[in-house]
Amino acid sequence: MKAENILLPGITGTTFMTIFSQVIGEIAEENFSEPDLLAELYHRLQPGKDKATAKIAGWLGHYAVGTLFSTAYNILWSNKLVKASGKNGVGLGIISGALAIAVWKATFKMHPVPPGIHFKKYYTQLFFAHIVFALFATAAYQ
């Protein structure tokens, strides 16, 4: 596995996903920014830490998860289990979106002080954000 076949798709997909989430959040007048939500969750668990540390943790965590998704995609692509194509990118995005929703739901449920967001709206946009992620990760891989 070449690092550039994981890092470039992961960074590209995560960047465009984040832009998508921020734009949809602005339209919906909600905070759908994954790095911001991760920072908020971190800061609420570590209230003694400054907000800058939480913000860095949120961004690093978000890109780390993007790299994990990209690693999984790369295993599928490099072993020719799934062709890196737009159609398959949508399929990977659908699977990734469903998985992400399950993980975020569990995270919010277990967190002692989850953020006050409109969860149904967040999960809906999160699903589509992962399709954006997968499409851009696929394009970067190609």
Side-chain angles (χ1 to χ4, degrees):
M1 253 191 270
K2 293 181 182 177
E4 65 265 16
N5 288 343
I6 294 170
L7 293 176
L8 183 61
I11 291 168
T12 302
T14 303
T15 299
F16 282 94
M17 172 191 175
T18 305
I19 293 167
F20 174 86
S21 294
Q22 290 175 335
V23 168
I24 297 301
E26 297 246 345
I27 292 168
E29 298 180 351
E30 296 275 348
N31 183 5
F32 292 152
S33 170
E34 295 84 4
D36 287 351
L37 290 169
L38 288 169
E40 186 176 344
L41 291 171
Y42 174 85
H43 187 68
R44 289 177 177 196
L45 288 176
Q46 301 286 327
K49 301 282 184 187
D50 62 71
K51 288 197 176 195
T53 300
K55 190 168 189 131
I56 291 167
W59 280 97
L60 288 175
H62 185 50
Y63 274 91
V65 172
T67 302
L68 287 174
F69 273 108
S70 179
T71 300
Y73 293 1
N74 186 267
I75 290 168
L76 296 171
W77 294 327
S78 64
N79 290 309
K80 305 206 183 317
L81 298 171
V82 174
K83 182 181 176 189
S85 68
K87 179 179 142 185
N88 289 337
V90 171
L92 288 171
I94 289 169
I95 294 165
S96 299
L99 178 61
I101 289 167
V103 169
W104 276 99
K105 278 185 175 184
T107 300
F108 290 143
K109 187 174 184 169
M110 292 185 312
H111 199 281
V113 190
I117 61 170
H118 190 286
F119 293 108
K120 186 174 182 182
K121 285 182 185 178
Y122 178 67
Y123 299 137
T124 300
Q125 79 75 36
L126 186 66
F127 178 79
F128 289 103
H130 279 82
I131 294 173
V132 170
F133 171 88
L135 287 171
F136 278 94
T138 301
Y141 178 82
Q142 292 173 327

